[in-house]
Amino acid sequence: MRRACVIGWPVSHSRSPLIHRYWLARYGIDGSYTRVAVRPEEAARFLKNLRAEGYVGCNVTIPHKETACAVAAEVCSAARAAGAANTLWYKGDRLVADNTDSAGFIHNLAAAAPRFDIRGAIVEVLGAGGAARGIVFALLEAGAREIRLFNRTRMRAEAVAAYFGARVNGFDWTRRNTALRDISLLVNTTPVGMPGSDPLGIDVGALDRSCVVADIVYVPILTPLLAAARACGLATVDGLGMLLHQAVPGFERWFGVRPEVTEELRALVERDIEGA
Ligand code: ATR
């Protein structure tokens, strides 16, 4: 039996077991996917011994995403760009770390907004953390023309822009509403929109009617940003879709089947989020 797991501290909130167990059952695979609570000081040792512990790979969640990059023998370009990995597997004897949020974001965008063409697009990204870096990497790979990064701490936006080069520019957070008419995709990578947070303060009514609005927050699934965009008739892309799509590459590596993100799976995870 092939075994995979998700490690984190805490790990009880992770929805990865729900997703991977759904696919294991759907494809009739003799495999398992479990949660393992690993303390920060134990994470490097656990990951170095992953195969000896009986695993073919794993997901890592907070706070182990940087450690995963540090201990892997090979770090894929998306994980290097993000400075964080969420998926590990073995290539022969070598432990490989990837960041599948990047590809997950692009695949979800294609599935949820099929008419949108990222090639040549000008994109506004809110936030400059690890999630933003992974998404900027993916947007550039997919052919975006220009990425404008707005962040509360401007220095961080500028650091990300410096890392990626001429197609990415960093701006002050206070300027996030100044050129909304120019953009064809808006992406929120900050946690703003989760219950209890302040409004994001985006003037959604100023966006072009063809602009697509994406959020990586998935609790709630319909964030205030997405609700406002929908009310203006704009196409929206939610964070739940990204959560489901980021799980695809790991499952394929560990269990040998490229799984499908179905409506049934989406409904299953949606019920879990809404019931929590
Ligand atoms: P992650 O790896 O998930 O991206 P992170 O590195 O903590 O997490 O980054 C969170 C991002 O959300 C940052 O860009 C952060 O802004 P700062 O760089 O100024 O910290 C942004 N963020 C968090 N809370 C915010 C808020 N209330 N308003 C605006 N931006 C916020």
Side-chain angles (χ1 to χ4, degrees), residues 62 66 126-133 150-154 156 173 189-192 197-198 200 216:
I62 291 165
E66 288 82 10
L126 303 173
R133 297 176 79 106
F150 295 80
N151 196 48
R152 186 175 59 177
T153 309
R154 182 169 172 178
R156 256 185 124 188
W173 183 244
T189 75
T190 77
V192 180
S197 56
D198 291 333
L200 206 43
I216 71 161

Side-chain angles (χ1 to χ4, degrees), residues 159-198:
V160 177
Y163 177 87
F164 285 105
R167 283 152 72 201
V168 183
N169 293 300
F171 297 95
D172 203 89
W173 183 244
T174 54
R175 294 187 59 200
R176 64 196 181 285
N177 281 315
T178 49
L180 291 179
R181 185 63 69 187
D182 299 352
I183 63 171
S184 52
L185 174 66
L186 173 74
V187 188
N188 175 44
T189 75
T190 77
V192 180
M194 296 187 72
S197 56
D198 291 333

